[in-house]
Amino acid sequence: MTKNPILDKIAFIDGQPYQIKANETILEFAQRNNFSIPTLCDDSRLESFGACRVCSVDVALKADGPSKTMASCHTPIAEGMHIQTQSPSIQKLRKNIIELVLTDHPLDCLTCESNGNCELQDVAAEVGIREVRYKNAADHSHYEKDTSHPYMRSDLSKCINCYRCVRACDEIQGEFVLGIEGRGFDSKIIKGANLSFDDSACVSCGACAQTCPTAAISDVFQSKSVEAQEKVRTVCSYCGVGCNLEVGVKNNEILSITAPEDAEVNQGHTCLKGRYAWRFYNHPDRLTSPLIKKEGQFVEASWDEAYDLIVEKLGSIKSDFGPDAIAGISSSRCPNEENYLMQKLMRAVIGTNNIDCCARVCHSPTAHGMQQSFGTGAATNSIEDLAKTDFIMVIGANPTSAHPVTGAKIKQKLMKGTPGIVIDPVKTEVAEYATYHLQLRPGTNVAVLNMMAHYIIKEGLVDQQFVDTRTEGWQDYHDALMNLDIDRMEALSGVDRALVRDAAIAYGKAEAAMSFHGLGVTEHSQGSRSVMSIADLAMMTGNIGREGVGVNPLRGQNNVQGAADMGCQPHQGAGYMSVEDPKWQEYYTEKYGVHSPTHAGLKIPQMFNSAKAGTLKALWIMGEDVAQTDPNTHHVVESLKNLDFLIVQEIFFSETAKLADVILPGTSFLEKSGTFTNGERRVQAVREVVKPLPGTKVDGQIIIDVMNRMGYAQPDYQPDTMLAEIADVVPFFAGAKWNELGDNGKQWPILADGSETKILHTETFKRGLGKFHYFDFEESKEIENHATSFPYILTTSRILEHYNCGTMTRRTDNKQIVSEDILLINPQDARQKQIAHESIVRLFSSRGEVNLKAHVSDKVKPGVLFTTFHFPELMVNNITSDECDLETLCPEYKVVAVDVEAA
Ligand SMILES: Nc1nc2c(c(=O)[nH]1)N[C@H]1C(S)=C(S)[C@@H](COP(=O)(O)OP(=O)(O)OC[C@H]3O[C@@H](n4cnc5c(=O)[nH]c(N)nc54)[C@H](O)[C@@H]3O)O[C@H]1N2
Ligand SMILES: Nc1nc2c(c(=O)[nH]1)N[C@H]1C(S)=C(S)[C@@H](COP(=O)(O)OP(=O)(O)OC[C@H]3O[C@@H](n4cnc5c(=O)[nH]c(N)nc54)[C@H](O)[C@@H]3O)O[C@H]1N2
Ligand code: SF4
Ligand code: SF4
Ligand SMILES: [Mo]
């Protein structure tokens, strides 16, 4: 459909003049001006379809001129048009159409799963239908219901052939699961080759259920949503996309979660975790009482007993061994306010900088690397820029599994012809749609990125003006690249030089190229260096500081950006000011009213080593299951066992909680208020949906209770006053106010006047000039030391259905969809090792072993194996290594020297 690019011109609706906007349909024009036009096949997120014609209007080109009836959803508005939305002939037409639709629709409204939440009924009422004249002309009641899926149902006898579900699956999710079989009255929606949801390629995003105007496809819980007394807007607590959610509640019980269509982050879309995986919140396994370990057994205790013990223990350790014998690990699953409090507890109350969070094992190389290159570690652009870019590079990220809503957008762009590069040892879903897939050996990013930079220079594609005016360090970088040993890099990375050259040329020539990266970049011994190399590519091609470009880490956990912003790292306090700089020590001293500790603290791996060595005595871990998710589990568990005192603040009895001396039952995101900061720096309000489960306390209040008992006066937890305190300390939160965040939040820096920032480094970089860094490729020590005995490279990642340690997703019906970690092995390797598809194999490294099921798959190259770490029964981290990023100590989860054999 072509639309009119007209601005500031007038058209008329029911006789009244209104300004028209470019690229608007008549329907959008009317809706914007508050005229109601009934629709059935329309969904504003989908391409207009014009099938049902319920949205028909009369259109004349002159005030009293002859009119034509047109479908408003796909007719562009034009200057001078006169639209009649309710003429008698139009009303009659709509009524006839709806009557016809209803003849084909079972009249079981009283028992229908839509439970009154039916657009068809609403439209029928709107067009004035009181009864149906030709009942069930075409009877489809024999269509079988599909109840194979834990979260969705289909009952196609209720289908009215609007094809919204098919279009949502194609255009929003890009999964192409749904199709149409047959013609006319017999046409029917099918899944794949007429399969059930369960057997189809459906990824359970729920887009079809959300758009279906009847209950032909519905959420299992949908019928309940209309009973909700209240709808609360909050933010998903799984991944860093930060989808905005609407939660239906009744009597302090959650009935449903859907995605609001005005959500700026996710436009009415989610993945199955945000929409469906919330039943953990009142699961019987939730911790509901403080527990104290006595003679090896956990015993229920009162909050007072638990607090007394904590204050006594931390107090005596501090006085006997000094504050640095105590450390804290904060939770990127928790709101900013709670992370801020956790670091404040450590710094202002205990007196140590020993505070860290899961960014350590995740994107700490991104934060460090981008700080070196640009001056700040956060994503330079916004996800909405995907609409404005004309080239996409995805490096070491699998967004359709790990950031599904953004992943679906990236996939849509690539499918619709935007060229792109995927650099990944695995054939990920986005790799299948990308123009270039550079399937490198795990651990060789620096080699491939250097080759790309070399070809960009050689082909004359450097944006010299950007380099000259906005950057420094170019000449050294340039000279090193001109001397690159391409033969060696090609051999080491295993990627054909011609392919790298073509990809580099395409990136270099793009008007606006956007790069996204993930853990396949950071979780390596050269993690920080790879991040700086990505920044180099962006700077040398001028892809920084404007729309549709930039370096965009796909931050992992819902609030990992926030945890670092709030200072949950040992070298920088809240707002990233150096804890070793006397000027900033003074700043924090003034803000917190107590003297700041003066030297940087321990990073998580150093905490474990110090615990093992006996110098770290006490550790307080909030919401991080290190015993399952940190590498080399035996080492982690031994270290934790060697502590004098371990406090675990959790919502479930995690693997780490099992080792605690005291367990404090916190609350999930559904039971508290605060803010999460997503991967594009968007600070959004998380709102209490239900009251904290009896026996639990809001995590922030737990920390405050202990602060107060240790003699530091901190007011009780309130989201508004906490955010005000943060705004006073963290410069880029200066204008953040709880009651001004609205439904869609604000992207930081939030200036004092309350305005937000969509794109960073537009005029200058945070550090002034952007800085080029060249690094030689270095082989991982893991390969150097172990490859002869363990010749395969294992890379570990995640899957769509489960989330990290899995305490939450394993307690939802997601477990019915996926119930174990699987090893991917190339057919050639499987043959050689005599490993059959779905057989159990023994996977082992120099650290340990794990038995798991093999899937023979050409998604991985020969020599490379792939698995996930979601199930503690298997404990994949038994075999991962202690190697880590040289600069930040981020573990090298992505390169593990292993061997495998049939079990
Ligand atoms: N469903 C789901 N979503 C999640 C999570 C989850 O557990 N489940 N976890 C969240 C968290 S904490 C995070 S940090 C994010 C992570 O999300 P991503 O950053 O996408 O992380 P991974 O899927 O672990 O790894 C990404 C890709 O890196 C590739 N890779 C491995 N080695 C290399 C290499 O040497 N070079 C390159 N270029 N690529 C390599 C892997 O094959 C994989 O496809 O996801 C978040 N979202
Ligand atoms: N082999 C391998 N291991 C990995 C990775 C990998 O790629 N490969 N990825 C690593 C990465 S990127 C990350 S980020 C880590 C993640 O590892 P973790 O941070 O350990 O994992 P999560 O499952 O995100 O959540 C941690 C805990 O927080 C608890 N929790 C959730 N919400 C709350 C709350 O509101 N309050 C409290 N008190 N607790 C809460 C959950 O029950 C869970 O036990 O795993 C790392 N481990
Ligand atoms: S849930 Fe999502 S992937 Fe599955 S059929 Fe519906 S739209 Fe397609
Ligand atoms: S894409 Fe991420 S934030 Fe959105 S619903 Fe899924 S897990 Fe939640
Ligand atoms: Mo992560």
Side-chain angles (χ1 to χ4, degrees), residues 638-656:
E638 264 177 52
S639 308
L640 295 180
K641 282 187 174 162
N642 208 35
L643 290 164
D644 284 357
F645 194 54
L646 175 62
I647 306 165
V648 174
Q649 188 171 329
E650 250 299 341
I651 56 173
F652 288 110
F653 194 61
S654 65
E655 296 305 300
T656 311

Side-chain angles (χ1 to χ4, degrees), residues 236-243 245 270-275 402-405:
C236 178
S237 79
Y238 287 112
C239 88
V241 173
C243 290
L245 305 176
T270 62
C271 75
L272 84 165
K273 294 185 295 303
R275 187 178 176 96
H403 300 87
V405 164

Side-chain angles (χ1 to χ4, degrees), residues 406-419:
T406 299
K409 291 179 186 171
I410 292 176
K411 188 168 73 167
Q412 289 286 345
K413 276 291 276 192
L414 294 173
M415 279 188 316
K416 289 181 181 144
T418 302

Side-chain angles (χ1 to χ4, degrees), residues 152 165 168-169 173 175 177-178 197 201-209:
M152 289 185 296
C165 58
C169 190
Q173 180 56 36
E175 221 58 42
V177 174
L178 303 175
F197 267 126
C202 170
V203 294
S204 317
C205 73
C208 52

Side-chain angles (χ1 to χ4, degrees), residues 634-806:
H634 295 304
H635 169 67
V636 175
V637 170
E638 264 177 52
S639 308
L640 295 180
K641 282 187 174 162
N642 208 35
L643 290 164
D644 284 357
F645 194 54
L646 175 62
I647 306 165
V648 174
Q649 188 171 329
E650 250 299 341
I651 56 173
F652 288 110
F653 194 61
S654 65
E655 296 305 300
T656 311
K658 290 178 186 167
L659 304 169
D661 295 291
V662 185
I663 301 177
L664 302 170
T667 46
S668 75
F669 80 110
L670 291 161
E671 301 150 82
K672 60 192 173 194
S673 298
T675 52
F676 290 157
T677 306
N678 80 353
E680 46 163 20
R681 299 170 276 106
R682 187 187 292 264
V683 183
Q684 298 190 93
V686 176
R687 298 192 180 88
E688 183 190 270
V689 176
V690 289
K691 294 281 163 232
L693 221 58
T696 67
K697 272 184 198 265
V698 170
D699 290 276
Q701 187 60 45
I702 297 174
I703 301 168
I704 289 173
D705 288 346
V706 173
M707 290 170 90
N708 283 319
R709 282 165 186 251
M710 292 188 79
Y712 187 97
Q714 177 75 34
D716 276 350
Y717 188 90
Q718 293 290 344
D720 50 351
T721 50
M722 279 309 312
L723 187 59
E725 183 175 335
I726 293 169
D728 180 49
V729 177
V730 175
F732 48 84
F733 268 58
K737 293 198 179 75
W738 173 252
N739 58 6
E740 289 178 8
L741 289 175
D743 283 335
N744 287 302
K746 292 183 182 186
Q747 286 173 270
W748 69 246
I750 305 172
L751 308 183
D753 64 4
S755 59
E756 61 175 337
T757 313
K758 299 239 171 246
I759 302 175
L760 300 182
H761 318 299
T762 46
E763 304 296 324
T764 58
F765 283 95
K766 179 85 200 311
R767 72 182 290 286
L769 294 174
K771 187 158 169 44
F772 283 99
H773 299 83
Y774 171 82
F775 299 101
D776 282 327
F777 167 74
E778 280 173 30
E779 191 65 86
S780 163
K781 294 268 177 305
E782 173 74 357
I783 301 296
E784 280 184 354
N785 296 339
H786 298 290
T788 12
S789 328
F790 300 94
Y792 286 83
I793 303 180
L794 171 74
T795 181
T796 62
S797 281
R798 53 262 298 133
I799 45 160
L800 171 69
E801 290 80 1
H802 287 287
Y803 192 84
N804 290 347
C805 78

Side-chain angles (χ1 to χ4, degrees), residues 376-402:
T376 183
T380 63
N381 287 57
S382 305
I383 294 302
E384 67 183 37
D385 281 27
L386 268 171
K388 297 156 192 160
T389 192
D390 50 32
F391 197 92
I392 295 173
M393 176 155 73
V394 179
I395 314 175
N398 182 11
T400 53
S401 289

